[in-house]
Structure formats: C-alpha cells, structure tokens
Amino acid sequence: SRPLRPRLAFRQIKKEKIKLNENKYDIFLPTELSTGSPYNPHTNYSESCVRLADYTVNVCKRNRLNLIFSAEAYSNSKTLKDEHQFYKKIIDKYGVKLTPKTSKYSSYINVLQSNLIIGLNTTLLREAFYLNRKVLACNLTNHIHADFPVKSIASPDIKNFNDFEKQVLKLLDIKKETYFEILKDDINNVVQSDNDCYTIINDEVRRITNTS
C-alpha cells in the first residue's frame, strides 16, 4: 500500500495553500528517540542514532550547511524533554537546537523544503522518498534488520565520518532527477507505490514549490 501520512500531509498542504521553499534547508535530520528500541539489547542502536546526529551536525558545521534538526514532539511536552536528554551530548557539543513540531504535518512540510533527508531507521526516510526527496539512510549499527530496502547511493556502507561526509556532499551536489534516475528500478521496493501515483506526486510537488 502507498504511504498514508505523506499523502494526507500533501493534501493538507494543498488545501491550506502553504507556499514551500524547496531549498530552505540543505539537510533534514529527524530525531530517532530509540531508548525503547527492540534492537538495543542486541546492538548499539541507541548509540548509533546519537553518532549519526553527531556526524550530521559536524558535516553541517564544517561545510556551512543549513540544517533542521527536527523533533518528533511538540513544544513543552515530555517527549520533547526526552529527546533533548537523548541528544544532550550533541546539543551541548555543537550548540544545535531541536525544532519541535508545530502541526500534525510540520515534519512533512520541512521534508519538502529540504535538499537531503538523513536518518538511520526512521519511517520518514521511506516517506521522504515517496515525496520525491533525496534520502541518505545510514545504518551505523551494522545490524541487517535496520537496513534500508535498497543500497546504491541511498544507503551505502558507511564505516566512519569521512565516508559519511563524502557521501553527504556527493548527494547534495547531485541533481534530484539524476538521483532518482539511478534508483528508478528500486523505487517500488522503498515506497510500494504505483508509478502513475508517484508521477502525480512529483508533478504536484514541483507545482507547489514553483520549480520545473
């Protein structure tokens, strides 16, 4: 089945006539609060989520990239406090701030305004792919069950920070059309959507963001 939440978000964006800036952010990094993850007893999953945030913020600082570090929770909520605590080391180290949700679909709005979406195992990776955004899935746990459905440029093996930085800069530089041309045979493996619907979504995103 096709992803429901991004379709509903897209419908709401159209309904409210929200004007999008497709190049507002270089990188969108969603929080992955994984303290209760079933992977934790067997892997370094939580540590890997924090390490990925460290890598991402570091790349942005080194290359003067515009980052949105997007929280799952609303302001003044317990979950937001938990997210702050989970990423405290990164927040303190780099002085970066979490951006809370402001509406049910604010994460999708920010995804549509970002050049590259980075994550470990969040469902937002697949949903961003569905919304025609470039994705970099980094399974730093080396646990196969946390792998993205496709490899190639969307999810290469990342051994260290240098590998990560090189891949991020490569994907930021590559045109979106080229990215999806490379991955055209894998699209259905990620989003399980029919090509006609995918084409319609792409055309509507271009129209709303005033891009050709």
Side-chain angles (χ1 to χ4, degrees):
S1 62
R2 291 167 287 183
L4 176 62
R5 287 181 297 180
R7 281 192 291 137
L8 293 176
F10 192 74
R11 185 182 302 166
Q12 193 67 23
I13 289 168
K14 288 179 64 179
K15 181 179 178 181
E16 296 183 13
K17 297 181 180 179
I18 297 172
K19 193 170 181 64
L20 300 175
N21 175 4
E22 195 174 32
N23 299 305
K24 186 174 183 178
Y25 306 108
D26 294 304
I27 292 175
F28 175 96
L29 176 69
T31 56
E32 297 184 64
L33 184 59
S34 55
T35 50
S37 170
Y39 295 115
N40 283 338
H42 314 289
T43 71
N44 59 339
Y45 190 75
S46 284
E47 183 273 332
S48 296
C49 291
V50 175
R51 182 153 54 102
L52 179 59
D54 190 304
Y55 280 8
T56 304
V57 179
N58 194 9
V59 166
C60 291
K61 293 287 186 181
R62 284 165 51 90
N63 297 277
R64 297 183 178 182
L65 301 173
N66 192 9
L67 168 72
I68 178 166
F69 194 2
S70 180
E72 295 180 21
Y74 292 94
S75 295
N76 302 317
S77 65
K78 181 184 182 303
T79 302
L80 184 63
K81 291 179 182 177
D82 292 341
E83 289 180 290
H84 269 282
Q85 186 59 39
F86 185 74
Y87 288 103
K88 187 177 188 303
K89 183 174 76 172
I90 309 304
I91 292 169
D92 291 347
K93 180 178 179 180
Y94 296 104
V96 68
K97 294 182 179 180
L98 294 181
T99 300
K101 285 178 67 174
T102 56
S103 70
K104 187 176 181 180
Y105 300 119
S106 58
S107 293
Y108 299 105
I109 293 171
N110 289 327
V111 162
L112 286 166
Q113 297 189 116
S114 302
N115 191 338
L116 179 66
I117 288 74
I118 296 176
L120 194 152
N121 194 36
T122 171
T123 55
L124 270 172
L125 289 170
R126 296 176 189 236
E127 293 169 335
F129 205 96
Y130 176 83
L131 289 170
N132 196 36
R133 312 314 295 170
K134 291 183 290 184
V135 162
L136 176 58
C138 296
N139 178 15
L140 299 181
T141 69
N142 296 318
H143 194 281
I144 60 172
H145 290 97
D147 279 349
F148 201 57
V150 299
K151 281 291 184 181
S152 187
I153 60 172
S155 184
D157 290 327
I158 301 292
K159 303 297 184 185
N160 51 50
F161 174 76
N162 288 337
D163 288 349
F164 178 80
E165 182 174 44
K166 182 178 179 180
Q167 188 66 17
V168 168
L169 297 179
K170 175 182 177 180
L171 293 183
L172 286 173
D173 189 55
I174 196 172
K175 290 184 177 180
K176 186 170 61 177
E177 292 77 12
T178 304
Y179 176 91
F180 281 100
E181 176 65 23
I182 293 170
L183 293 169
K184 64 182 179 181
D185 294 332
D186 297 311
I187 288 175
N188 286 343
N189 293 335
V190 178
V191 300
Q192 298 178 1
S193 64
D194 60 85
N195 289 329
D196 287 341
C197 178
Y198 188 76
T199 300
I200 291 169
I201 288 287
N202 292 349
D203 291 343
E204 284 294 329
V205 169
R206 290 192 190 99
R207 186 185 64 77
I208 289 178
T209 57
N210 294 316
T211 60
S212 58

